[in-house]
Amino acid sequence: MPMEKSFDAAAREPALYDAWEKAGCFVAGAGAKPGASAFSILLPPPNVTGFLHAGHGFNHTLMDILTRWHRMKGDDVLWQPGLDHAGIATQLVVERQLSEQGIKRTDLSREDFVAKVWEWKATSGGKIVEQDKRLGCSMDWTREAFTMQGAPGDPSPEDGPNFHDAVIRVFVDMYEKGFIYRGKRLVNWDPHFETAISDLEVENKEVPGHMWHFKYPLAGGATYTYVEKDEDGNVLFEEERDYISIATTRPETMLGDGAVAVHPSDERYAPIVGKLCEIPVGPKEHRRLIPIITDEYPDPDFGSGAVKITGAHDFNDYEVARRGGIPMYRLMDMKGAMRDDGAPYAEAAAIAMAVAKDERTLGEAEADSVNLVPDDLRGLDRFEARNAVVEQITEEGLAVMVPPTDPRLGEPAKALAPEEGGERRLDQLTPLVESKPIMQPFGDRSKVVIEPMLTDQWFVDTDKIVGPALDAVRSGEVKIIPESGEKTYFHWLENIEPWCISRQLWWGHRIPVWYGFDLHANGFRDDEGDGALDEVELGRILSSDSLSNGELKPHCAADFDTVKSRFGDLLDDLPTPLNHARVVEVESRDNALHVMAKSLADYAVSQDPTQLVYPVWRDPDVLDTWFSSGLWPIGTLGWGDDDQSFMERYFPTSVLITGSDILFFWVARMMMMQYAVVDQKPFDTVYLHGLVRDAKGQKMSKSIGNVVDPLDLVEKYGADAYRFNNAAMATMTGTIRLDEKRIEGYRNFSTKLWNAFRFAEMNGALEMQGGARPETSHAVNAWILGETGRARDAVDAALAGFKFNEAADAIYKFVWNVVCDWYLELSKPLFSSDDAALVAETRATLAFVLDRCLALLHPMMPFITEELWAGERMLAISEWPTEGASDLVDPAADAEISWVIALIEAIRSVRGELNVPAGLKVELLQIELDDAGRAAWAANAEIIQRLARIETLTEASELPKGALTIAVKGGTFALPLAGIVDVEAEKARLAKTLGKLEKDLGGLNGRLKNPKFLDSAPDEVVAETKALLAEKTDEKQRLETAAARLAEL
RNA sequence: GGGUGAUUAGCUCAGUGGUAGAGCGCUUCGUUCACAUCGAAGAUGUCAGCAGUUCGAAUCUGUUAUCACCCA
């Protein structure tokens, strides 16, 4: 049955994929040669909520190309797929779904909610898997992993590597090595999701904002002389002031100020450093006083040069406060509203006053319990509170006032003349509020303004684990390409901050740490020293507030039994009866308080120490998603399992291909964590690529509406065309733009290949076995074998260097411009030959060449090549061509066919330029020709005549008048078409060609006459230049002769 | 403000020391049987500017301009 006219991608591609899967082509090690070296590649796990977008499509295509290439080469290949549980994103999706049913997350228990997430995952998660199959990705689906695999609630924990166990083991390991700690730190707080997020998940955006200027009055009405001088020390301005001027973009945080800071060199404020000033907001009778301190942070040239310090709500202030021992007062609750808890303002303010006057100090927990929000502002949203604070200060006259013409106010209000109804008020002052763009942090998922918030969080002490990750890249043990990625990598890691890994979510790996009350540190004294506690002593435990506020005793372990025995050991050291208490797990600290109290009360009655319990509770937080994905290499390969065969075979992995946008998020963290845990690199090479943009170069975004769905393109043009486009766009430095026209072009390319097979079919070449190298007698056949070898070398070299675009370019040019444009055309006369041996040889050659085209193209266009493939095994696991140019090139045939092609092109060019009718068969005159040319003509006369439309070849001793001249290497030909073509046009053509030649010759001569060139240029270059000069000189002479002859007319 | 990268044909981009390339688009011509999702021919560039290094620079160095991204 003859072939269809073209390949029906939409219908055939899915079927071909099924066939691969059924044949087990993608299972780890498929097609591997005995003793093969390993090639492993990790899929950067897409979010379980995700759908295939253009970025995935690009990224996955590149990985598939490498994977298929190595698999065909016979390597032991694993492409490890899987999904990321994506904490916030997934919780958000499921919360949204629940809210459609009118259910809030908090209506459910944590356990029930997590069960809903698993339910959602089973029905709606991981859609991207099917999409990857449509794309042709050859991942080993039998090993599909999930970063929450095996976690509590997982309905099918056996479906993949137990990732949860690995994550918990790593946490415990790193905790025990001292790489992880817990502490109260300022973190980015997302008030929408009510969780900490990392600074990488914060987008800083410039938005219109305001800068308010306020007066902080000096305590007790003190005054000083405020003097401003220019650079030369001349006094510009001088006045007596009883305040210090402060500028802020966030007035609501003034309530939590702990100090005012000025630069130590700032002479303007030197007289008042060390004095106290008043925060100009809050009830008059409880105005707080704060000290004026010096710190390097304030910029004397910015604003007034004085900065208010709110350690609990600003990252810069936090550092200043830490350096200066300034108390940090948290003002907001977890939703970003002003706090509404704790003692009334008057009490809180009194405590803060005492601290400011050095009359008392506060522990961390105590400071956190002080709510300095005035009673009337409590519970307000932070932005409402801002307005209220501004209003109150302004009303009290403590805003800095300026004339309405002050340029800092921006466009001055147009003063209306009294006769126009306006009032003359130029002498009236107005509050100084500058309108200016300010940088504001937004949550990349929630899109709400991020609040720096002082909370208890877990951190990875990155300083302790960053060293090996840096050394590995510095030493070249791990290579990042393109090289610019290494610079970025160093820059970030050399300035790395502690990594906050706790998240206040329900969906994620729960931190394996349990807390109990620290009974050793607080709460009891054994008055009698008899090793036993009486009722009074036990009572003290309950009455002290250390149980509700004090420090806790944490224990970290992979399972509760271990934790239990650790706490048990702790209790053993305690006096009777506490040393008899049983460790029990409760929900929370509050529960524990009740349980503890009840247990002690019961004991007081029963005096039975075996009934005493010691409650412990687990940390409610989960780990940052990037903590678990940081373990992707070892977690997917079974680290810590009994079966270590995959770790041994495939770790460290070979290549990581990922977007440069997650160099920090993921790549750097994998580096740090694999070294920290197994002290090995996670991969040899990291290939970073850019963001995929639309055809105009704009970032794809839902709000612009320019998002391209790669599957639409796949449906329209076939996965092969889409993939080939991805390969062709994958340059080292380039930005990637998705241009549909280009994809269409590659669809056309696949059709071209298809039709080459139709041609082969019609000429009986598809019945041949394409595998073995044919014996060739004809130069055309010998020549194309050499070209095939060159193509293999080019594709191999390109892929080995991760130059996907060069590989695509090489195979495209070979298939279209060499095989289709020339070899198929050159073979036509051979197929119609009477010489049966020649026909057979040509069939075998064509079969061989097309076979190689399929193999070389397969990694990039797997579907159509597999469809056309007729080998015994599927192409996906068939052998990659091994014969290169050095095996296949025949120099004599090469020279002969190159000459033939050049002649055909020259004749066509002359015909085309001078408008010789395309269909007209013309006579060709051979004016002069060297022996090589004569031999080449003789061997290929039929071919040349057919492709150049030549009726006859006649030898002639000189150019007839008005003929068109064709100069080739070693000879001159002519087309005697005096009557048909315009002589003037031929004159013009010759003049133009000669002009170009002369220019070229000028350059060549210039170089060769320069002794320095001859001395310092490499010999090859000199030889090439000389050869080129000779050739061009020759051609010039021939054309000059022709021009002279033409001039005779 | 700091870092990184880019600036080449009308458009989108390759090209890391040896006389500038591709795809698309454009112009002219062409459907005899592999292919009109095609074929043949053609036009198009101060390689952002300036200054260096070199026998030789799109390529290396410095500098300016513009743009993009990342980080403050």
Side-chain angles (χ1 to χ4, degrees):
Chain A
M1 198 177 84
M3 289 170 66
E4 297 293 325
K5 282 203 85 172
S6 63
F7 176 58
D8 185 354
R12 289 297 299 146
E13 288 178 345
L16 286 160
Y17 196 91
D18 283 347
W20 285 323
E21 274 209 286
K22 281 205 182 78
C25 291
F26 305 151
V27 173
K33 290 177 179 165
S37 52
F39 178 82
S40 54
I41 190 161
L42 299 163
L43 177 73
N47 285 0
V48 65
T49 57
F51 292 85
L52 192 91
H53 58 59
H56 295 126
F58 180 72
N59 179 253
H60 297 188
T61 299
L62 298 190
M63 277 183 276
D64 197 43
I65 290 169
L66 281 189
T67 304
R68 287 179 180 270
W69 178 52
H70 279 277
R71 191 181 291 120
M72 289 174 76
K73 292 210 300 182
D75 291 343
D76 177 3
V77 170
L78 167 67
W79 184 5
Q80 171 66 51
L83 298 167
D84 189 89
H85 69 275
I88 289 185
T90 309
Q91 183 157 323
L92 176 67
V93 165
V94 176
E95 276 181 349
R96 260 192 211 143
Q97 202 182 46
L98 288 174
S99 79
E100 283 166 16
Q101 307 161 34
I103 305 171
K104 280 189 298 189
R105 171 173 58 105
T106 44
D107 294 342
L108 303 175
S109 72
R110 180 171 180 150
E111 203 177 18
D112 289 345
F113 177 76
V114 168
K116 290 274 180 204
V117 180
W118 283 108
E119 242 172 70
W120 169 87
K121 192 221 169 208
T123 55
S124 316
K127 293 288 186 219
I128 196 168
V129 169
E130 288 309 311
Q131 299 176 315
D132 269 325
K133 292 183 178 182
R134 186 64 193 82
L135 208 56
C137 294
S138 63
M139 303 164 196
D140 181 358
W141 295 111
T142 65
R143 295 189 49 80
E144 185 181 341
F146 181 47
T147 55
M148 276 289 275
Q149 195 79 49
D154 183 353
S156 48
E158 304 302 321
D159 277 3
N162 193 319
F163 211 93
H164 177 71
D165 282 359
V167 171
I168 298 301
R169 264 203 302 270
V170 166
F171 185 96
V172 173
D173 182 56
M174 290 179 71
Y175 180 92
E176 284 169 356
K177 285 174 175 164
F179 298 160
I180 289 179
Y181 61 88
R182 186 170 190 265
K184 198 178 277 298
R185 300 282 186 281
L186 200 59
V187 297
N188 296 298
W189 186 265
D190 186 319
H192 176 78
F193 289 115
E194 298 184 47
T195 177
I197 60 176
S198 82
D199 38 2
L200 293 172
E201 290 160 311
V202 174
E203 289 171 356
N204 288 296
K205 276 191 275 192
E206 201 165 70
V207 294
H210 299 281
M211 175 90 93
W212 286 270
H213 295 254
F214 297 129
K215 296 174 177 174
Y216 280 46
L218 297 184
T223 61
Y224 65 111
T225 308
Y226 176 86
V227 184
E228 264 182 29
K229 296 177 180 171
D230 66 11
E231 288 167 358
D232 302 326
N234 303 311
V235 174
L236 297 173
F237 178 83
E238 184 174 333
E239 69 172 359
E240 281 296 296
R241 282 188 178 175
D242 59 356
Y243 66 88
I244 182 165
S245 171
I246 304 285
T248 179
T249 58
R250 303 196 54 199
E252 72 281 11
T253 64
M254 289 168 65
L255 301 164
D257 286 353
V260 166
V262 297
H263 196 271
S265 69
D266 198 332
E267 291 175 20
R268 294 173 295 179
Y269 301 112
I272 52 171
V273 167
K275 293 198 157 72
L276 295 174
C277 65
E278 179 186 315
I279 299 174
V281 68
K284 264 259 175 226
E285 60 279 20
H286 301 299
R287 276 289 149 85
R288 281 174 53 212
L289 295 177
I290 52 175
I292 297 165
I293 63 165
T294 58
D295 191 275
E296 296 291 327
Y297 164 63
D299 175 359
D301 297 326
F302 187 79
S304 68
V307 180
K308 67 189 212 55
I309 300 301
T310 320
H313 286 282
D314 181 280
F315 284 98
N316 289 314
D317 293 4
Y318 178 70
E319 294 303 324
V320 177
R322 289 225 303 194
R323 284 196 287 269
I326 306 298
M328 308 186 207
Y329 300 114
R330 182 170 60 83
L331 296 169
M332 297 175 200
D333 65 17
M334 298 306 143
K335 290 187 164 68
M338 306 312 283
R339 287 174 66 170
D340 197 12
D341 62 337
Y345 177 76
E347 280 176 39
I351 296 172
M353 275 305 299
V355 173
K357 289 180 175 164
D358 277 336
E359 290 162 10
R360 68 171 287 186
T361 56
L362 292 175
E364 231 177 41
E366 287 171 312
D368 194 60
S369 67
V370 175
N371 178 359
L372 285 173
V373 179
D375 301 327
D376 61 320
L377 299 179
R378 291 189 176 192
L380 286 183
D381 175 78
R382 49 189 163 153
F383 301 110
E384 294 168 9
R386 176 180 302 174
N387 295 336
V389 166
V390 170
E391 204 173 295
Q392 288 176 11
I393 297 174
T394 308
E395 222 163 73
E396 204 184 314
L398 287 171
V400 172
M401 305 299 280
V402 292
T405 50
D406 191 298
R408 288 173 293 177
L409 292 170
E411 200 67 26
K414 195 178 168 191
L416 290 177
E419 60 270 26
E420 294 172 49
E423 294 176 64
R424 194 172 293 279
R425 288 194 166 199
L426 281 176
D427 54 335
Q428 185 165 339
L429 299 178
T430 179
L432 176 53
V433 182
E434 296 176 67
S435 287
K436 58 193 286 184
I438 54 169
M439 288 304 279
Q440 229 172 3
F442 291 86
D444 63 356
R445 299 247 166 221
S446 65
K447 308 295 174 197
V448 302
V449 177
I450 295 304
E451 188 65 42
M453 192 82 85
L454 203 52
T455 50
D456 285 310
Q457 301 289 347
W458 287 93
F459 294 87
V460 169
D461 193 346
T462 41
D463 280 344
K464 288 188 179 157
I465 61 170
V466 74
L470 275 168
D471 292 343
V473 176
R474 283 202 191 106
S475 71
E477 181 173 84
V478 174
K479 208 169 155 12
I480 299 178
I481 47 178
E483 210 177 323
S484 59
E486 296 191 351
K487 286 184 193 166
T488 319
Y489 177 86
F490 291 140
H491 188 254
W492 191 69
L493 284 187
E494 281 162 4
N495 298 288
I496 193 162
E497 298 284 328
W499 171 19
C500 175
I501 52 171
S502 41
R503 297 289 181 269
Q504 288 64 46
L505 302 173
W506 282 358
W507 175 240
H509 299 283
R510 193 162 172 181
I511 288 172
V513 172
W514 283 258
Y515 304 98
F517 300 118
D518 188 352
L519 301 180
H520 287 80
N522 295 297
F524 76 86
R525 257 189 345 269
D526 178 7
D527 292 339
E528 294 81 16
D530 57 1
L533 297 183
D534 57 32
E535 215 162 307
V536 176
E537 289 160 344
L538 285 172
R540 269 205 299 263
I541 295 176
L542 286 174
S543 62
S544 89
D545 68 359
S546 77
L547 289 196
S548 46
N549 279 327
E551 299 300 316
L552 298 170
K553 197 74 204 168
H555 274 299
C556 171
D559 56 85
F560 184 64
D561 284 344
T562 313
V563 168
K564 208 169 162 180
S565 70
R566 297 244 180 96
F567 277 111
D569 294 346
L570 207 68
L571 294 174
D572 284 347
D573 299 340
L574 291 172
T576 308
L578 291 174
N579 53 359
H580 291 96
R582 279 181 299 118
V583 177
V584 295
E585 187 174 13
V586 298
E587 269 293 298
S588 63
R589 185 173 193 157
D590 283 348
N591 289 133
L593 264 176
H594 289 122
V595 168
M596 187 90 183
K598 180 161 190 310
S599 177
L600 288 174
D602 289 351
Y603 173 74
V605 177
S606 71
Q607 291 295 310
D608 176 0
T610 62
Q611 294 303 306
L612 266 180
V613 293
Y614 176 77
V616 300
W617 62 98
R618 186 169 183 175
D619 196 304
D621 291 353
V622 300
L623 288 165
D624 177 15
T625 305
W626 295 102
F627 185 90
S628 52
S629 51
L631 302 171
W632 191 239
I634 58 173
T636 49
L637 295 175
W639 169 76
D641 291 354
D642 295 337
D643 177 5
Q644 284 298 291
S645 59
F646 271 73
M647 277 299 283
E648 283 158 17
R649 264 164 87 186
Y650 298 118
F651 187 84
T653 63
S654 311
V655 190
L656 180 78
I657 299 187
T658 192
S660 48
D661 52 330
I662 58 170
L663 177 63
F664 308 138
F665 271 113
W666 194 46
V667 180
R669 285 170 181 173
M670 276 195 285
M671 290 286 285
M672 291 192 289
M673 289 178 81
Q674 294 345 267
Y675 278 108
V677 178
V678 294
D679 198 23
Q680 278 190 78
K681 60 181 169 184
F683 23 69
D684 299 327
T685 307
V686 180
Y687 175 93
L688 297 173
H689 57 74
L691 228 59
V692 179
R693 294 152 183 282
D694 73 1
K696 290 177 196 150
Q698 273 191 303
K699 229 173 180 170
M700 292 191 189
S701 94
K702 279 178 193 159
S703 50
I704 303 174
N706 61 344
V707 177
V708 178
D709 183 346
L711 291 168
D712 289 346
L713 297 170
V714 166
E715 285 307 314
K716 199 164 167 193
Y717 300 105
D720 284 334
Y722 171 70
R723 290 168 57 108
F724 201 86
N725 181 65
N726 285 333
M729 298 307 293
T731 60
M732 283 290 176
T733 49
T735 52
I736 302 131
R737 301 194 190 198
L738 208 49
D739 181 358
E740 197 168 324
K741 291 296 286 179
R742 195 153 175 165
I743 299 175
E744 187 183 350
Y746 293 127
R747 189 272 320 270
N748 295 352
F749 171 65
S750 68
T751 305
K752 189 79 182 172
L753 176 75
W754 183 266
N755 279 293
F757 273 79
R758 291 187 71 211
F759 172 81
E761 183 191 39
M762 289 174 187
N763 287 289
L766 291 192
E767 295 145 32
M768 309 292 291
Q769 281 297 333
R773 173 187 176 173
E775 289 302 317
T776 53
S777 62
H778 198 284
V780 162
N781 290 331
W783 162 78
I784 194 62
L785 292 188
E787 291 296 314
T788 308
R790 289 200 178 102
R792 191 220 67 138
D793 291 351
V795 173
D796 255 0
L799 289 181
F802 301 100
K803 293 176 177 174
F804 299 95
N805 62 317
E806 289 182 14
D809 192 49
I811 188 65
Y812 183 96
K813 283 203 168 86
F814 176 63
V815 170
W816 199 315
N817 302 119
V818 179
V819 176
C820 291
D821 285 352
W822 286 107
Y823 181 65
L824 297 191
E825 296 302 329
L826 297 169
S827 73
K828 284 174 184 174
L830 306 186
F831 279 124
S832 54
S833 164
D834 295 332
D835 180 348
L838 180 60
V839 171
E841 169 193 317
T842 307
R843 279 183 183 147
T845 305
L846 180 56
F848 175 83
V849 169
L850 290 179
D851 177 290
R852 297 305 149 103
C853 287
L854 293 182
L856 295 176
L857 188 54
H858 181 77
M860 285 167 260
M861 290 194 158
F863 291 107
I864 191 171
T865 51
E866 187 71 75
E867 178 85 352
L868 291 168
W869 181 253
E872 282 170 28
R873 291 197 293 176
M874 298 196 84
L875 178 56
I877 48 170
S878 291
E879 195 167 320
W880 184 254
T882 51
E883 292 142 313
S886 59
D887 305 298
L888 295 172
V889 169
D890 174 342
D894 234 34
E896 183 180 315
I897 301 304
S898 299
W899 185 86
V900 168
I901 288 173
L903 175 60
I904 294 168
E905 279 181 332
I907 297 171
R908 282 175 171 176
S909 179
V910 169
R911 291 180 59 132
E913 275 187 68
L914 297 177
N915 294 317
V916 176
L920 184 68
K921 287 203 165 190
V922 297
E923 184 187 3
L924 181 67
L925 299 180
Q926 179 186 308
I927 309 301
E928 55 173 324
L929 189 60
D930 63 10
D931 290 344
R934 284 172 191 273
W937 179 280
N940 302 282
E942 202 185 339
I943 287 169
I944 300 166
Q945 285 178 258
R946 176 168 173 153
L947 297 188
R949 305 210 139 263
I950 301 299
E951 185 73 55
T952 56
L953 177 74
T954 317
E955 279 201 51
S957 54
E958 65 170 13
L959 273 167
K961 288 188 180 177
L964 309 181
T965 310
I966 293 148
V968 294
K969 199 174 167 188
T972 308
F973 292 88
L975 299 175
L977 295 170
I980 296 180
V981 300
D982 178 5
V983 172
E984 290 310 310
E986 171 66 352
K987 277 184 185 170
R989 182 184 75 91
L990 288 176
K992 193 180 127 195
T993 314
L994 278 167
K996 214 170 166 186
L997 275 172
E998 242 151 82
K999 193 182 152 221
D1000 289 352
L1001 286 169
L1004 292 168
N1005 272 319
R1007 288 161 72 191
L1008 286 167
K1009 279 179 184 159
N1010 185 340
K1012 284 184 180 170
F1013 173 71
L1014 296 173
D1015 284 349
S1016 35
D1019 292 346
E1020 299 162 18
V1021 174
V1022 175
E1024 266 173 39
T1025 311
K1026 281 180 177 166
L1028 207 55
L1029 180 73
E1031 210 173 290
K1032 298 231 177 203
T1033 307
D1034 190 48
E1035 191 183 348
K1036 188 183 159 211
Q1037 276 165 4
R1038 292 172 199 286
L1039 292 182
E1040 274 170 347
T1041 311
R1045 190 89 180 104
L1046 215 53
E1048 291 168 16
L1049 284 177

